Each structure stands twice: as C-alpha cells, then as structure tokens.
Short mmCIF file of all heavy atoms in Angstrom, two decimals:
data_model
loop_
_atom_site.label_atom_id
_atom_site.label_comp_id
_atom_site.label_asym_id
_atom_site.label_seq_id
_atom_site.Cartn_x
_atom_site.Cartn_y
_atom_site.Cartn_z
N MET A 1 42.93 11.02 -23.47
CA MET A 1 41.62 10.36 -23.55
C MET A 1 40.77 11.29 -24.49
O MET A 1 40.65 12.46 -24.28
CB MET A 1 41.03 10.28 -22.19
CG MET A 1 39.81 9.42 -22.14
SD MET A 1 39.01 9.34 -20.50
CE MET A 1 39.95 8.07 -19.74
N SER A 2 40.08 10.67 -25.42
CA SER A 2 39.28 11.47 -26.34
C SER A 2 37.95 11.85 -25.64
O SER A 2 37.58 11.32 -24.58
CB SER A 2 38.90 10.57 -27.58
OG SER A 2 37.99 9.55 -27.17
N ARG A 3 37.28 12.81 -26.24
CA ARG A 3 36.02 13.34 -25.66
C ARG A 3 34.96 12.19 -25.59
O ARG A 3 34.28 12.10 -24.58
CB ARG A 3 35.53 14.49 -26.49
CG ARG A 3 34.23 15.08 -25.95
CD ARG A 3 33.74 16.21 -26.81
NE ARG A 3 32.45 16.56 -26.32
CZ ARG A 3 31.96 17.78 -26.33
NH1 ARG A 3 32.68 18.76 -26.79
NH2 ARG A 3 30.78 18.07 -25.88
N LYS A 4 34.84 11.40 -26.60
CA LYS A 4 33.91 10.32 -26.61
C LYS A 4 34.15 9.32 -25.44
O LYS A 4 33.18 8.97 -24.74
CB LYS A 4 33.88 9.56 -27.93
CG LYS A 4 32.95 8.40 -27.97
CD LYS A 4 32.22 8.39 -29.28
CE LYS A 4 31.28 7.16 -29.36
NZ LYS A 4 29.91 7.53 -29.35
N SER A 5 35.35 8.95 -25.21
CA SER A 5 35.65 8.01 -24.11
C SER A 5 35.42 8.66 -22.77
O SER A 5 35.10 7.97 -21.83
CB SER A 5 37.08 7.45 -24.27
OG SER A 5 37.98 8.52 -24.13
N GLN A 6 35.58 9.98 -22.72
CA GLN A 6 35.29 10.66 -21.41
C GLN A 6 33.80 10.59 -21.14
O GLN A 6 33.34 10.51 -19.96
CB GLN A 6 35.71 12.11 -21.49
CG GLN A 6 37.23 12.28 -21.38
CD GLN A 6 37.63 13.78 -21.56
OE1 GLN A 6 36.82 14.57 -22.01
NE2 GLN A 6 38.83 14.05 -21.21
N GLU A 7 32.94 10.74 -22.13
CA GLU A 7 31.49 10.73 -21.95
C GLU A 7 30.95 9.41 -21.54
O GLU A 7 29.94 9.32 -20.86
CB GLU A 7 30.76 11.23 -23.20
CG GLU A 7 31.03 12.68 -23.55
CD GLU A 7 30.48 13.07 -24.91
OE1 GLU A 7 29.84 12.22 -25.55
OE2 GLU A 7 30.71 14.20 -25.33
N THR A 8 31.60 8.32 -21.91
CA THR A 8 31.14 7.00 -21.67
C THR A 8 31.99 6.26 -20.57
O THR A 8 32.00 5.08 -20.54
CB THR A 8 31.04 6.13 -22.92
OG1 THR A 8 32.33 6.08 -23.50
CG2 THR A 8 30.04 6.77 -23.88
N ALA A 9 32.76 7.00 -19.89
CA ALA A 9 33.67 6.42 -18.88
C ALA A 9 32.85 5.69 -17.85
O ALA A 9 31.81 6.17 -17.44
CB ALA A 9 34.50 7.48 -18.20
N PRO A 10 33.24 4.49 -17.42
CA PRO A 10 32.46 3.71 -16.49
C PRO A 10 32.28 4.36 -15.11
O PRO A 10 31.31 4.09 -14.42
CB PRO A 10 33.26 2.37 -16.34
CG PRO A 10 34.53 2.56 -16.99
CD PRO A 10 34.47 3.79 -17.81
N ASP A 11 33.20 5.26 -14.72
CA ASP A 11 33.06 5.89 -13.47
C ASP A 11 32.20 7.21 -13.54
O ASP A 11 32.01 7.87 -12.55
CB ASP A 11 34.45 6.23 -12.84
CG ASP A 11 35.30 7.14 -13.79
OD1 ASP A 11 34.97 7.21 -14.96
OD2 ASP A 11 36.29 7.63 -13.29
N ALA A 12 31.74 7.53 -14.71
CA ALA A 12 30.85 8.72 -14.88
C ALA A 12 29.50 8.42 -14.20
O ALA A 12 28.97 7.35 -14.36
CB ALA A 12 30.66 9.07 -16.34
N VAL A 13 28.98 9.38 -13.50
CA VAL A 13 27.75 9.22 -12.75
C VAL A 13 26.68 10.08 -13.47
O VAL A 13 26.86 11.29 -13.64
CB VAL A 13 27.83 9.64 -11.29
CG1 VAL A 13 26.47 9.54 -10.59
CG2 VAL A 13 28.86 8.80 -10.57
N VAL A 14 25.58 9.43 -13.85
CA VAL A 14 24.48 10.15 -14.49
C VAL A 14 23.30 10.08 -13.51
O VAL A 14 22.91 8.99 -13.14
CB VAL A 14 24.10 9.50 -15.84
CG1 VAL A 14 22.88 10.18 -16.43
CG2 VAL A 14 25.26 9.46 -16.80
N LYS A 15 22.85 11.26 -13.09
CA LYS A 15 21.72 11.26 -12.21
C LYS A 15 20.44 11.27 -13.00
O LYS A 15 20.28 11.99 -14.00
CB LYS A 15 21.70 12.54 -11.38
CG LYS A 15 22.80 12.56 -10.32
CD LYS A 15 22.76 13.77 -9.47
CE LYS A 15 21.75 13.55 -8.41
NZ LYS A 15 21.71 14.64 -7.42
N LYS A 16 19.57 10.32 -12.69
CA LYS A 16 18.31 10.18 -13.41
C LYS A 16 17.28 11.23 -12.86
O LYS A 16 17.16 11.36 -11.68
CB LYS A 16 17.73 8.78 -13.20
CG LYS A 16 18.46 7.73 -13.88
CD LYS A 16 17.95 6.31 -13.62
CE LYS A 16 16.56 6.13 -14.05
NZ LYS A 16 16.08 4.74 -13.91
N ARG A 17 16.69 11.91 -13.81
CA ARG A 17 15.65 12.84 -13.40
C ARG A 17 14.25 12.18 -13.51
O ARG A 17 13.42 12.50 -12.73
CB ARG A 17 15.68 14.09 -14.31
CG ARG A 17 14.56 15.04 -13.90
CD ARG A 17 14.72 16.39 -14.60
NE ARG A 17 13.56 17.19 -14.36
CZ ARG A 17 13.40 18.37 -14.85
NH1 ARG A 17 14.30 18.96 -15.57
NH2 ARG A 17 12.28 19.07 -14.54
N LEU A 18 14.09 11.27 -14.51
CA LEU A 18 12.82 10.59 -14.70
C LEU A 18 12.96 9.13 -14.17
O LEU A 18 13.87 8.43 -14.54
CB LEU A 18 12.46 10.61 -16.17
CG LEU A 18 12.24 11.97 -16.82
CD1 LEU A 18 11.90 11.79 -18.27
CD2 LEU A 18 11.11 12.72 -16.10
N LEU A 19 11.95 8.74 -13.36
CA LEU A 19 11.92 7.45 -12.79
C LEU A 19 10.81 6.63 -13.43
O LEU A 19 9.77 7.18 -13.78
CB LEU A 19 11.70 7.55 -11.31
CG LEU A 19 12.64 8.37 -10.46
CD1 LEU A 19 12.19 8.41 -8.98
CD2 LEU A 19 14.05 7.89 -10.58
N ASN A 20 11.01 5.30 -13.58
CA ASN A 20 9.90 4.52 -14.09
C ASN A 20 8.93 4.27 -12.95
O ASN A 20 9.17 4.70 -11.76
CB ASN A 20 10.43 3.22 -14.67
CG ASN A 20 11.15 2.28 -13.70
OD1 ASN A 20 10.79 2.24 -12.48
ND2 ASN A 20 12.16 1.55 -14.15
N VAL A 21 7.83 3.50 -13.18
CA VAL A 21 6.86 3.35 -12.19
C VAL A 21 7.35 2.64 -10.94
O VAL A 21 7.03 3.06 -9.84
CB VAL A 21 5.61 2.51 -12.78
CG1 VAL A 21 4.57 2.23 -11.76
CG2 VAL A 21 5.04 3.28 -13.98
N ASN A 22 8.14 1.58 -11.08
CA ASN A 22 8.72 0.90 -9.96
C ASN A 22 9.56 1.75 -9.11
O ASN A 22 9.47 1.80 -7.87
CB ASN A 22 9.42 -0.34 -10.34
CG ASN A 22 8.52 -1.45 -10.92
OD1 ASN A 22 7.38 -1.59 -10.51
ND2 ASN A 22 8.98 -2.12 -11.93
N GLU A 23 10.43 2.52 -9.77
CA GLU A 23 11.38 3.41 -9.02
C GLU A 23 10.65 4.53 -8.32
O GLU A 23 10.98 4.91 -7.17
CB GLU A 23 12.39 4.02 -10.00
CG GLU A 23 13.31 3.01 -10.66
CD GLU A 23 14.08 3.51 -11.79
OE1 GLU A 23 13.61 4.45 -12.51
OE2 GLU A 23 15.16 3.01 -12.09
N ALA A 24 9.60 5.10 -9.03
CA ALA A 24 8.82 6.16 -8.35
C ALA A 24 8.00 5.69 -7.17
O ALA A 24 7.96 6.35 -6.17
CB ALA A 24 7.89 6.79 -9.38
N ALA A 25 7.48 4.47 -7.28
CA ALA A 25 6.75 3.91 -6.13
C ALA A 25 7.73 3.67 -4.93
O ALA A 25 7.36 3.99 -3.82
CB ALA A 25 6.07 2.59 -6.54
N GLN A 26 8.88 3.21 -5.26
CA GLN A 26 9.87 2.97 -4.21
C GLN A 26 10.30 4.26 -3.62
O GLN A 26 10.41 4.45 -2.37
CB GLN A 26 11.09 2.21 -4.72
CG GLN A 26 12.09 1.86 -3.73
CD GLN A 26 13.23 1.02 -4.28
OE1 GLN A 26 13.41 0.95 -5.50
NE2 GLN A 26 14.06 0.53 -3.41
N TYR A 27 10.49 5.27 -4.42
CA TYR A 27 10.92 6.64 -4.00
C TYR A 27 9.87 7.24 -3.00
O TYR A 27 10.21 7.85 -2.00
CB TYR A 27 11.13 7.52 -5.17
CG TYR A 27 11.67 8.93 -4.86
CD1 TYR A 27 13.03 9.10 -4.61
CD2 TYR A 27 10.84 10.04 -4.83
CE1 TYR A 27 13.54 10.35 -4.32
CE2 TYR A 27 11.29 11.27 -4.57
CZ TYR A 27 12.67 11.46 -4.31
OH TYR A 27 13.18 12.69 -3.98
N LEU A 28 8.62 7.00 -3.38
CA LEU A 28 7.50 7.59 -2.53
C LEU A 28 7.17 6.66 -1.35
O LEU A 28 6.39 7.06 -0.45
CB LEU A 28 6.25 7.78 -3.38
CG LEU A 28 6.33 8.85 -4.40
CD1 LEU A 28 5.03 8.86 -5.29
CD2 LEU A 28 6.49 10.24 -3.75
N GLY A 29 7.75 5.42 -1.32
CA GLY A 29 7.34 4.48 -0.30
C GLY A 29 5.98 3.99 -0.39
O GLY A 29 5.28 3.72 0.60
N SER A 30 5.52 3.80 -1.62
CA SER A 30 4.16 3.34 -1.81
C SER A 30 4.18 2.15 -2.77
O SER A 30 5.24 1.64 -3.16
CB SER A 30 3.24 4.40 -2.44
OG SER A 30 3.52 4.57 -3.85
N THR A 31 3.07 1.58 -3.11
CA THR A 31 2.97 0.49 -4.10
C THR A 31 2.81 0.96 -5.51
O THR A 31 2.35 2.13 -5.70
CB THR A 31 1.87 -0.53 -3.71
OG1 THR A 31 0.60 0.19 -3.98
CG2 THR A 31 1.95 -0.99 -2.29
N VAL A 32 3.10 0.12 -6.46
CA VAL A 32 2.85 0.46 -7.84
C VAL A 32 1.41 0.66 -8.11
O VAL A 32 1.00 1.61 -8.81
CB VAL A 32 3.44 -0.65 -8.75
CG1 VAL A 32 3.04 -0.38 -10.22
CG2 VAL A 32 4.94 -0.72 -8.66
N ASN A 33 0.51 -0.12 -7.49
CA ASN A 33 -0.91 0.05 -7.63
C ASN A 33 -1.42 1.40 -7.12
O ASN A 33 -2.21 2.03 -7.79
CB ASN A 33 -1.69 -1.06 -6.91
CG ASN A 33 -1.58 -2.44 -7.63
OD1 ASN A 33 -1.25 -2.44 -8.83
ND2 ASN A 33 -1.86 -3.44 -6.88
N THR A 34 -0.89 1.82 -5.99
CA THR A 34 -1.30 3.15 -5.51
C THR A 34 -0.85 4.26 -6.40
O THR A 34 -1.58 5.22 -6.71
CB THR A 34 -0.67 3.36 -4.07
OG1 THR A 34 -1.15 2.33 -3.21
CG2 THR A 34 -0.94 4.73 -3.53
N LEU A 35 0.38 4.07 -6.93
CA LEU A 35 0.88 5.12 -7.89
C LEU A 35 0.12 5.13 -9.13
O LEU A 35 -0.25 6.26 -9.64
CB LEU A 35 2.31 4.81 -8.19
CG LEU A 35 3.17 5.85 -8.96
CD1 LEU A 35 3.18 7.21 -8.15
CD2 LEU A 35 4.55 5.40 -9.21
N HIS A 36 -0.31 3.99 -9.68
CA HIS A 36 -1.16 3.93 -10.89
C HIS A 36 -2.54 4.62 -10.59
O HIS A 36 -3.09 5.32 -11.44
CB HIS A 36 -1.39 2.52 -11.36
CG HIS A 36 -0.29 2.04 -12.22
ND1 HIS A 36 0.16 2.62 -13.34
CD2 HIS A 36 0.58 0.94 -12.07
CE1 HIS A 36 1.14 2.03 -13.92
NE2 HIS A 36 1.41 0.98 -13.13
N LYS A 37 -3.08 4.35 -9.40
CA LYS A 37 -4.39 4.95 -9.04
C LYS A 37 -4.22 6.49 -8.96
O LYS A 37 -5.11 7.24 -9.53
CB LYS A 37 -4.88 4.40 -7.71
CG LYS A 37 -6.25 4.90 -7.34
CD LYS A 37 -6.69 4.20 -6.02
CE LYS A 37 -8.14 4.67 -5.77
NZ LYS A 37 -8.65 4.01 -4.57
N LYS A 38 -3.19 6.95 -8.30
CA LYS A 38 -2.98 8.44 -8.21
C LYS A 38 -2.74 9.09 -9.57
O LYS A 38 -3.18 10.16 -9.92
CB LYS A 38 -1.87 8.72 -7.29
CG LYS A 38 -2.18 8.44 -5.84
CD LYS A 38 -1.20 9.08 -4.92
CE LYS A 38 -1.65 8.96 -3.47
NZ LYS A 38 -2.92 9.61 -3.17
N ARG A 39 -2.07 8.32 -10.44
CA ARG A 39 -1.86 8.80 -11.81
C ARG A 39 -3.15 8.90 -12.61
O ARG A 39 -3.41 9.91 -13.25
CB ARG A 39 -0.89 7.91 -12.55
CG ARG A 39 -0.59 8.33 -13.96
CD ARG A 39 -0.15 7.28 -14.93
NE ARG A 39 -0.81 5.98 -14.72
CZ ARG A 39 -1.86 5.59 -15.41
NH1 ARG A 39 -2.54 6.40 -16.24
NH2 ARG A 39 -2.37 4.36 -15.24
N SER A 40 -3.97 7.85 -12.50
CA SER A 40 -5.24 7.84 -13.28
C SER A 40 -6.21 8.90 -12.79
O SER A 40 -6.96 9.39 -13.55
CB SER A 40 -5.86 6.45 -13.25
OG SER A 40 -6.30 6.10 -11.94
N LEU A 41 -6.12 9.22 -11.48
CA LEU A 41 -6.95 10.32 -10.96
C LEU A 41 -6.33 11.69 -11.11
O LEU A 41 -6.86 12.69 -10.66
CB LEU A 41 -7.16 10.03 -9.45
CG LEU A 41 -8.05 8.77 -9.14
CD1 LEU A 41 -8.05 8.52 -7.64
CD2 LEU A 41 -9.42 8.96 -9.65
N ARG A 42 -5.14 11.71 -11.74
CA ARG A 42 -4.41 12.95 -11.99
C ARG A 42 -4.03 13.68 -10.69
O ARG A 42 -4.01 14.84 -10.61
CB ARG A 42 -5.18 13.91 -12.91
CG ARG A 42 -5.55 13.39 -14.25
CD ARG A 42 -4.38 13.28 -15.16
NE ARG A 42 -4.65 12.65 -16.45
CZ ARG A 42 -4.44 13.23 -17.64
NH1 ARG A 42 -3.85 14.32 -17.68
NH2 ARG A 42 -4.77 12.55 -18.69
N GLU A 43 -3.76 12.86 -9.65
CA GLU A 43 -3.30 13.38 -8.39
C GLU A 43 -1.80 13.55 -8.29
O GLU A 43 -1.29 14.21 -7.42
CB GLU A 43 -3.76 12.46 -7.24
CG GLU A 43 -5.24 12.44 -7.03
CD GLU A 43 -5.65 11.48 -5.94
OE1 GLU A 43 -4.83 10.87 -5.27
OE2 GLU A 43 -6.89 11.29 -5.75
N ILE A 44 -1.10 12.94 -9.26
CA ILE A 44 0.35 13.00 -9.28
C ILE A 44 0.80 13.18 -10.70
O ILE A 44 0.25 12.58 -11.62
CB ILE A 44 0.96 11.73 -8.67
CG1 ILE A 44 2.40 11.90 -8.33
CG2 ILE A 44 0.70 10.52 -9.53
CD1 ILE A 44 2.96 10.84 -7.35
N PRO A 45 1.75 14.12 -10.94
CA PRO A 45 2.14 14.44 -12.30
C PRO A 45 3.02 13.30 -12.90
O PRO A 45 3.73 12.63 -12.14
CB PRO A 45 2.97 15.72 -12.18
CG PRO A 45 3.40 15.77 -10.72
CD PRO A 45 2.40 15.02 -9.96
N PHE A 46 2.92 13.15 -14.20
CA PHE A 46 3.72 12.07 -14.86
C PHE A 46 4.04 12.61 -16.30
O PHE A 46 3.49 13.51 -16.79
CB PHE A 46 2.95 10.74 -14.96
CG PHE A 46 1.68 10.81 -15.69
CD1 PHE A 46 1.64 10.44 -17.01
CD2 PHE A 46 0.52 11.16 -15.02
CE1 PHE A 46 0.42 10.48 -17.68
CE2 PHE A 46 -0.71 11.23 -15.75
CZ PHE A 46 -0.75 10.84 -17.10
N VAL A 47 4.97 11.92 -16.87
CA VAL A 47 5.46 12.16 -18.25
C VAL A 47 5.19 10.91 -19.09
O VAL A 47 5.51 9.79 -18.62
CB VAL A 47 6.94 12.55 -18.22
CG1 VAL A 47 7.43 12.75 -19.69
CG2 VAL A 47 7.27 13.68 -17.36
N LYS A 48 4.62 11.02 -20.25
CA LYS A 48 4.50 9.90 -21.18
C LYS A 48 5.55 10.02 -22.25
O LYS A 48 5.65 11.05 -22.90
CB LYS A 48 3.10 9.89 -21.78
CG LYS A 48 2.05 9.27 -20.90
CD LYS A 48 0.83 8.84 -21.67
CE LYS A 48 1.09 7.58 -22.41
NZ LYS A 48 -0.02 6.81 -22.80
N ILE A 49 6.28 8.94 -22.41
CA ILE A 49 7.28 8.87 -23.47
C ILE A 49 6.87 7.66 -24.26
O ILE A 49 7.15 6.52 -23.87
CB ILE A 49 8.73 8.76 -22.95
CG1 ILE A 49 9.06 9.92 -22.09
CG2 ILE A 49 9.72 8.58 -24.05
CD1 ILE A 49 10.37 9.85 -21.33
N GLY A 50 6.14 7.88 -25.37
CA GLY A 50 5.58 6.74 -26.11
C GLY A 50 4.51 6.06 -25.22
O GLY A 50 3.65 6.69 -24.75
N ARG A 51 4.71 4.76 -25.01
CA ARG A 51 3.80 4.07 -24.12
C ARG A 51 4.33 4.05 -22.67
O ARG A 51 3.56 3.56 -21.80
CB ARG A 51 3.62 2.65 -24.62
CG ARG A 51 2.92 2.51 -25.90
CD ARG A 51 2.71 1.07 -26.31
NE ARG A 51 1.91 0.90 -27.44
CZ ARG A 51 1.52 -0.21 -27.98
NH1 ARG A 51 1.97 -1.34 -27.42
NH2 ARG A 51 0.76 -0.30 -29.03
N SER A 52 5.46 4.48 -22.42
CA SER A 52 6.05 4.43 -21.08
C SER A 52 5.73 5.58 -20.24
O SER A 52 5.51 6.74 -20.80
CB SER A 52 7.62 4.40 -21.24
OG SER A 52 8.04 3.31 -22.00
N LEU A 53 5.52 5.34 -18.98
CA LEU A 53 5.23 6.37 -17.99
C LEU A 53 6.51 6.70 -17.23
O LEU A 53 7.26 5.74 -16.89
CB LEU A 53 4.18 5.95 -16.99
CG LEU A 53 2.79 5.74 -17.50
CD1 LEU A 53 1.93 5.25 -16.35
CD2 LEU A 53 2.23 7.04 -18.05
N ARG A 54 6.80 7.92 -17.01
CA ARG A 54 7.94 8.31 -16.18
C ARG A 54 7.49 9.38 -15.22
O ARG A 54 6.53 10.12 -15.47
CB ARG A 54 9.07 8.84 -17.07
CG ARG A 54 9.69 7.89 -18.07
CD ARG A 54 10.47 6.82 -17.30
NE ARG A 54 11.09 5.84 -18.17
CZ ARG A 54 10.61 4.71 -18.52
NH1 ARG A 54 9.45 4.30 -18.05
NH2 ARG A 54 11.30 3.88 -19.33
N PHE A 55 8.19 9.41 -14.12
CA PHE A 55 7.86 10.36 -13.05
C PHE A 55 9.06 11.28 -12.79
O PHE A 55 10.11 10.76 -12.44
CB PHE A 55 7.36 9.70 -11.81
CG PHE A 55 6.11 8.86 -12.04
CD1 PHE A 55 6.17 7.61 -12.55
CD2 PHE A 55 4.87 9.44 -11.72
CE1 PHE A 55 4.97 6.90 -12.77
CE2 PHE A 55 3.71 8.75 -11.98
CZ PHE A 55 3.77 7.45 -12.54
N ASP A 56 8.90 12.58 -12.88
CA ASP A 56 9.95 13.53 -12.66
C ASP A 56 10.22 13.64 -11.17
O ASP A 56 9.33 13.89 -10.36
CB ASP A 56 9.51 14.89 -13.24
CG ASP A 56 10.58 15.93 -13.14
OD1 ASP A 56 11.53 15.81 -12.36
OD2 ASP A 56 10.48 16.93 -13.93
N ILE A 57 11.48 13.39 -10.81
CA ILE A 57 11.83 13.36 -9.40
C ILE A 57 11.57 14.77 -8.76
O ILE A 57 11.18 14.81 -7.56
CB ILE A 57 13.25 12.91 -9.23
CG1 ILE A 57 13.48 12.40 -7.85
CG2 ILE A 57 14.23 13.98 -9.56
CD1 ILE A 57 14.73 11.49 -7.65
N LYS A 58 11.68 15.85 -9.53
CA LYS A 58 11.41 17.16 -8.95
C LYS A 58 9.93 17.31 -8.65
O LYS A 58 9.53 17.89 -7.69
CB LYS A 58 11.90 18.23 -9.89
CG LYS A 58 13.41 18.30 -10.01
CD LYS A 58 13.81 19.40 -10.98
CE LYS A 58 15.31 19.42 -11.18
NZ LYS A 58 15.72 20.46 -12.07
N ALA A 59 9.07 16.77 -9.59
CA ALA A 59 7.64 16.84 -9.35
C ALA A 59 7.21 15.94 -8.16
O ALA A 59 6.33 16.29 -7.49
CB ALA A 59 6.94 16.40 -10.63
N LEU A 60 7.93 14.79 -8.02
CA LEU A 60 7.64 13.92 -6.87
C LEU A 60 7.98 14.68 -5.56
O LEU A 60 7.24 14.56 -4.55
CB LEU A 60 8.40 12.62 -6.98
CG LEU A 60 7.95 11.68 -8.12
CD1 LEU A 60 8.83 10.44 -8.15
CD2 LEU A 60 6.52 11.32 -8.03
N ASP A 61 9.10 15.35 -5.57
CA ASP A 61 9.51 16.09 -4.36
C ASP A 61 8.46 17.18 -4.03
O ASP A 61 8.10 17.38 -2.85
CB ASP A 61 10.85 16.73 -4.52
CG ASP A 61 12.02 15.73 -4.46
OD1 ASP A 61 11.79 14.62 -3.90
OD2 ASP A 61 13.08 16.01 -4.98
N LEU A 62 7.96 17.87 -5.09
CA LEU A 62 6.93 18.91 -4.87
C LEU A 62 5.67 18.27 -4.40
O LEU A 62 4.95 18.84 -3.47
CB LEU A 62 6.68 19.64 -6.22
CG LEU A 62 5.70 20.81 -6.14
CD1 LEU A 62 6.11 21.84 -5.13
CD2 LEU A 62 5.53 21.37 -7.53
N PHE A 63 5.30 17.09 -4.89
CA PHE A 63 4.11 16.35 -4.46
C PHE A 63 4.19 16.01 -2.94
O PHE A 63 3.26 16.18 -2.25
CB PHE A 63 3.97 15.09 -5.29
CG PHE A 63 2.80 14.20 -4.81
CD1 PHE A 63 1.54 14.42 -5.16
CD2 PHE A 63 3.14 13.10 -4.02
CE1 PHE A 63 0.52 13.62 -4.71
CE2 PHE A 63 2.13 12.24 -3.57
CZ PHE A 63 0.77 12.49 -3.94
N ILE A 64 5.40 15.63 -2.57
CA ILE A 64 5.59 15.29 -1.19
C ILE A 64 5.41 16.52 -0.29
O ILE A 64 4.77 16.50 0.73
CB ILE A 64 7.01 14.70 -0.91
CG1 ILE A 64 7.10 13.32 -1.57
CG2 ILE A 64 7.38 14.60 0.51
CD1 ILE A 64 8.49 12.74 -1.72
N GLU A 65 6.02 17.61 -0.69
CA GLU A 65 5.92 18.89 0.01
C GLU A 65 4.44 19.37 0.14
O GLU A 65 4.00 19.75 1.18
CB GLU A 65 6.75 19.97 -0.62
CG GLU A 65 8.24 19.82 -0.42
CD GLU A 65 9.01 20.93 -1.10
OE1 GLU A 65 8.53 22.00 -1.23
OE2 GLU A 65 10.16 20.63 -1.52
N GLN A 66 3.73 19.27 -0.98
CA GLN A 66 2.35 19.79 -0.99
C GLN A 66 1.40 18.89 -0.19
O GLN A 66 0.33 19.33 0.20
CB GLN A 66 1.88 19.89 -2.43
CG GLN A 66 2.57 21.03 -3.19
CD GLN A 66 2.15 21.05 -4.66
OE1 GLN A 66 1.66 20.04 -5.16
NE2 GLN A 66 2.39 22.17 -5.29
N ASN A 67 1.78 17.66 0.01
CA ASN A 67 0.87 16.70 0.70
C ASN A 67 1.43 16.33 2.12
O ASN A 67 0.89 15.43 2.72
CB ASN A 67 0.75 15.38 -0.12
CG ASN A 67 -0.09 15.70 -1.34
OD1 ASN A 67 -1.30 15.74 -1.28
ND2 ASN A 67 0.56 15.88 -2.46
N THR A 68 2.34 17.12 2.62
CA THR A 68 2.82 16.92 3.90
C THR A 68 1.92 17.59 4.91
O THR A 68 1.56 18.73 4.78
CB THR A 68 4.29 17.50 4.11
OG1 THR A 68 5.14 16.86 3.17
CG2 THR A 68 4.77 17.36 5.49
N VAL A 69 1.48 16.81 5.93
CA VAL A 69 0.63 17.33 6.97
C VAL A 69 1.49 17.76 8.14
O VAL A 69 2.27 17.01 8.65
CB VAL A 69 -0.40 16.24 7.43
CG1 VAL A 69 -1.33 16.75 8.50
CG2 VAL A 69 -1.18 15.74 6.25
N GLU A 70 1.32 19.02 8.46
CA GLU A 70 2.10 19.64 9.54
C GLU A 70 1.59 19.14 10.91
O GLU A 70 0.44 18.83 10.99
CB GLU A 70 2.08 21.17 9.47
CG GLU A 70 2.66 21.67 8.17
CD GLU A 70 4.17 21.39 8.01
OE1 GLU A 70 4.93 21.36 9.00
OE2 GLU A 70 4.60 21.22 6.90
N THR A 71 2.49 19.21 11.88
CA THR A 71 2.10 18.84 13.22
C THR A 71 1.30 20.02 13.92
O THR A 71 1.43 21.17 13.49
CB THR A 71 3.30 18.52 14.11
OG1 THR A 71 4.13 19.64 14.11
CG2 THR A 71 4.05 17.32 13.55
N LEU A 72 0.52 19.69 14.89
CA LEU A 72 -0.17 20.71 15.66
C LEU A 72 0.73 21.10 16.80
O LEU A 72 1.22 20.30 17.57
CB LEU A 72 -1.45 20.20 16.29
CG LEU A 72 -2.52 19.78 15.21
CD1 LEU A 72 -3.71 19.18 15.95
CD2 LEU A 72 -2.95 20.97 14.40
N ASP A 73 1.04 22.40 16.90
CA ASP A 73 1.84 22.89 18.01
C ASP A 73 1.01 23.49 19.11
O ASP A 73 0.01 24.04 18.95
CB ASP A 73 2.85 23.93 17.48
CG ASP A 73 3.84 23.28 16.55
OD1 ASP A 73 4.16 22.11 16.75
OD2 ASP A 73 4.36 23.98 15.68
#
C-alpha cells in the first residue's frame, strides 16, 4: 500500500481539534444562541478562519474547568 493510500484510508480516524458552532454548542450542552452571546462578550475563546468561527476543544475543556462551581463540604 502506498503512503498516499495509507493517509486516506477509510478506516483512518482523524480527531477534530476545532469544532464549528453547532458542534461546540452540543459539546457544552448549550444552545447556539448562548454560544454566540458568550463569544460576542468574549467570555469564551474562539478561532476565526476567514468568516468561519471555530472553537478549540482544549479551550472548551479549560472553559468548563474554570467555570465549574465546587460543592460546599
């Protein structure tokens, strides 16, 4: 098998690091409108690629960690 065919093999799994708005909203369990509001208020990091918005999954994980409210013990 050539190198080119190995790179495009149908069983190859590519993990996405950047999510579109719909995917990021689903990942966070929120709505697209909420995500757009947080983005416009600069409460959540995003990447612009041309006119497209993308959300880094690592940044979303960090956002979740930073906004987690701990329980009272």
Side-chain angles (χ1 to χ4, degrees):
M1 190 183 276
S2 72
R3 181 180 172 147
K4 178 136 178 114
S5 63
Q6 287 176 344
E7 292 173 3
T8 58
D11 57 345
V13 176
V14 177
K15 290 183 82 175
K16 288 174 65 170
R17 179 170 173 182
L18 297 178
L19 305 178
N20 65 32
V21 176
N22 291 325
E23 294 166 334
Q26 184 177 11
Y27 186 79
L28 292 174
S30 77
T31 66
V32 171
N33 286 340
T34 299
L35 191 59
H36 278 302
K37 185 175 182 178
K38 291 195 170 300
R39 180 207 37 93
S40 67
L41 294 171
R42 302 286 175 126
E43 294 178 3
I44 196 162
F46 63 94
V47 177
K48 276 197 79 161
I49 301 174
R51 291 182 173 183
S52 299
L53 293 178
R54 296 290 183 262
F55 296 85
D56 186 338
I57 201 161
K58 292 180 182 180
L60 293 177
D61 288 337
L62 183 60
F63 174 80
I64 292 168
E65 287 178 30
Q66 292 174 341
N67 288 282
T68 299
V69 178
E70 299 295 328
T71 59
L72 297 175
D73 291 333

